[in-house]
Amino acid sequence: MSPSPAPADRRAPVWPWYVGAAAAVTATAVAGGRFVDPGTTWYRTLRKPSWQPPPWAFGAIWTPLYGSLAWAGGRALATTRGGDRTRLLGSLGTNLVLNAGWNALFFGRRSPRAGLAGTVLLDLSNAELLLRLARADRPAARALLPYATWCLFATALNGSLVRLNPGPGRRYPHRGR
């Protein structure tokens, strides 16, 4: 006798959405992290505001923020269907590309101005993602609030770096460590 089929109302497993979101966020962190080196001469010689956290704090802060982003994304993706899920995937993917892109703009190009443009785009993406998450799953949206708040802080910090380091070429060419 063959086993009976699963009831029609049985939900699909949710763990693949959490694993997929965690993999995407991890890939974002790794891709963006390839550009970050606060020990370079270029970065060390930038004038920084007195309220900038020490370099070690960024990793300590980003680790749980990435965790909350993965959890929120996985949870919301598991609860959405059809076109809503497709749009949420697009919003999350765009956000992750902008997240990693900031590192490439700021550290990779050695351009605080390009970084500022990138972080403003990331803030807009965060607002759109938060709205989409709030419609799909309120706990997921609440979990994303610290990430969005930190990105706003990063935008203010990046803006301060632009103000304190007005370069004639707007890029900082020295490549030495």
Side-chain angles (χ1 to χ4, degrees):
M1 178 174 211
S2 65
S4 61
D9 62 344
R10 186 170 177 182
R11 298 187 94 160
V14 298
W15 66 266
W17 294 109
Y18 286 98
V19 170
V25 170
T26 299
T28 297
V30 169
R34 292 181 49 230
F35 295 99
V36 178
D37 185 359
T40 62
T41 300
W42 168 78
Y43 186 75
R44 285 193 334 262
T45 59
L46 287 177
R47 291 179 32 206
K48 298 171 190 72
S50 61
W51 48 273
Q52 178 171 317
W56 63 265
F58 289 92
I61 292 167
W62 273 108
T63 300
L65 291 178
Y66 278 141
S68 67
L69 179 58
W71 182 85
R75 180 178 165 102
L77 289 167
T79 62
T80 56
R81 305 280 180 268
D84 288 339
R85 181 181 282 161
T86 300
R87 287 183 288 280
L88 179 57
L89 277 166
S91 294
L92 183 58
T94 298
N95 190 273
L96 295 176
V97 167
L98 290 169
N99 183 298
W102 178 85
N103 294 307
L105 293 170
F106 186 91
F107 284 102
R109 290 189 51 169
R110 297 177 183 232
S111 175
R113 288 185 190 278
L116 182 59
T119 194
V120 167
L121 290 175
L122 179 60
D123 291 334
L124 293 172
S125 174
N126 286 339
E128 191 272 338
L129 183 58
L130 274 168
L131 289 172
R132 195 169 298 284
L133 285 173
R135 286 192 299 267
D137 187 270
R138 288 202 181 267
R142 283 192 297 273
L144 198 66
L145 285 173
Y147 167 78
T149 302
W150 176 257
C151 289
L152 288 170
F153 172 79
T155 301
L157 179 59
N158 197 148
S160 182
L161 289 168
V162 168
R163 186 180 53 76
L164 292 171
N165 297 280
R170 295 189 174 102
R171 287 185 65 194
Y172 302 85
H174 29 290
R175 298 259 178 206
R177 289 204 54 104

